[in-house]
Amino acid sequence: MEPRARHSAWPGRLLLYKGQMSVEKLSTARKRQPQALSVEQVAEKIRSAILRGELKPGTKLTEQDLAAEFEVSRTPIREAIRQLEVERLLTRVPFVGVTVRQLSPEEVLELLEIREVLEGLVARLATRHMDDAHLKRLQASLRRLTESAHKGDVVSYLDHALAFRRTLVECCRSESLAEHVLAIENRLRLVGNRTAALPGRMEASITEHEKLLAAITRGDAASAEQLNRERIQHIRDAFAQSTAFSFL
């Protein structure tokens, strides 16, 4: 007896002929039935939306809306939310629910103090392990960063500044340090990018990066560490002096 045709989410498109589906239709069916997203994939999509500024601090998120958006059940949504709560990107507000976390000025200052120490260590270790390939990437990022700053293109400038930092972190050869740096960086990105637009800030940052790269190039790990710590101190000062703040 021939088996019955199976029912599908796309009626009439999946047909069985003598117990076998045609290769062409099987291929088409596979393309049209994407696998459900994993918890980590859901978390990454929400995380990216937060870090890109598509989900602003204070935005309320519901399991129902997210499940509909990503076409998954509420279970992976619930687990993804818990994961992002641990990362301090989401929080639960009484009588409101889950929202994108908003940083207080005190939290920002505390995070910058931690970041100062971590970025100093990054510069020191990166200098010790620097090679020609990574050095060329740093030089390219600095060149593009400078061009963007001169054009007044804040978004492009921040992208290249981030690429510069990520290259340094990669050169440290320390996964543990990279994880801590990324966690702090992600939380600080919750406040946006407004300090880069403060008068003279991008120009000052160019000088800071040039001095840092010079120290790295000559293999002076101690100076590189001090210069990178001073760079974060300057960002902290800019925050303390302005109510329109952000981070480079």
Side-chain angles (χ1 to χ4, degrees), residues 136-156:
K136 289 179 180 178
R137 285 168 56 184
L138 290 174
Q139 293 167 342
S141 293
L142 178 56
R143 183 172 60 255
R144 293 168 186 145
L145 177 157
T146 301
E147 292 171 352
S148 298
H150 290 162
K151 294 177 182 177
D153 188 341
V154 176
V155 174
S156 178

Side-chain angles (χ1 to χ4, degrees), residues 111-143:
L111 288 171
L112 282 173
E113 287 182 332
I114 298 171
R115 181 179 172 184
E116 177 191 330
V117 176
L118 292 177
E119 296 266 7
L121 180 57
V122 165
R124 174 153 55 90
L125 293 180
T127 302
R128 291 178 179 175
H129 300 296
M130 187 55 58
D131 54 40
D132 290 341
H134 284 91
L135 188 59
K136 289 179 180 178
R137 285 168 56 184
L138 290 174
Q139 293 167 342
S141 293
L142 178 56
R143 183 172 60 255

Side-chain angles (χ1 to χ4, degrees), residues 154-172:
V154 176
V155 174
S156 178
Y157 161 80
L158 290 171
D159 285 342
H160 297 309
L162 177 61
F164 187 98
R165 295 199 304 275
R166 292 287 170 83
T167 300
L168 284 181
V169 172
E170 182 179 313
C171 205
C172 287

Side-chain angles (χ1 to χ4, degrees), residues 39-191:
V39 172
E40 181 51 46
Q41 287 173 321
V42 172
E44 177 57 29
K45 284 182 177 293
I46 300 173
R47 184 187 299 112
S48 295
I50 294 172
L51 298 182
R52 289 195 304 265
E54 295 171 4
L55 292 175
K56 305 293 184 183
T59 300
K60 181 179 178 180
L61 305 179
T62 68
E63 292 180 9
Q64 181 177 356
D65 290 343
L66 291 171
E69 172 71 19
F70 300 129
E71 299 182 340
V72 296
S73 69
R74 292 194 183 187
T75 299
I77 296 296
R78 192 174 301 118
E79 294 181 16
I81 287 175
R82 287 179 185 146
Q83 181 174 326
L84 295 175
E85 284 183 279
V86 171
E87 296 178 21
R88 309 292 294 278
L89 295 179
L90 296 179
T91 188
R92 292 182 185 272
V93 179
F95 309 110
V96 175
V98 176
T99 66
V100 178
R101 190 176 183 86
Q102 292 178 298
L103 294 178
S104 69
E106 293 77 14
E107 287 178 301
V108 173
L109 289 172
E110 179 184 1
L111 288 171
L112 282 173
E113 287 182 332
I114 298 171
R115 181 179 172 184
E116 177 191 330
V117 176
L118 292 177
E119 296 266 7
L121 180 57
V122 165
R124 174 153 55 90
L125 293 180
T127 302
R128 291 178 179 175
H129 300 296
M130 187 55 58
D131 54 40
D132 290 341
H134 284 91
L135 188 59
K136 289 179 180 178
R137 285 168 56 184
L138 290 174
Q139 293 167 342
S141 293
L142 178 56
R143 183 172 60 255
R144 293 168 186 145
L145 177 157
T146 301
E147 292 171 352
S148 298
H150 290 162
K151 294 177 182 177
D153 188 341
V154 176
V155 174
S156 178
Y157 161 80
L158 290 171
D159 285 342
H160 297 309
L162 177 61
F164 187 98
R165 295 199 304 275
R166 292 287 170 83
T167 300
L168 284 181
V169 172
E170 182 179 313
C171 205
C172 287
R173 301 180 187 177
S174 172
E175 292 185 6
S176 296
L177 179 56
E179 290 175 0
H180 288 299
V181 170
L182 180 60
I184 295 296
E185 184 178 90
N186 283 350
R187 291 185 63 192
L188 286 173
R189 286 173 67 183
L190 287 171
V191 297

Side-chain angles (χ1 to χ4, degrees), residues 4 68 92 97 153 166 218 225 246:
R4 294 182 180 180
R92 292 182 185 272
D153 188 341
R166 292 287 170 83
R218 65 175 182 267
E225 178 176 11
S246 179

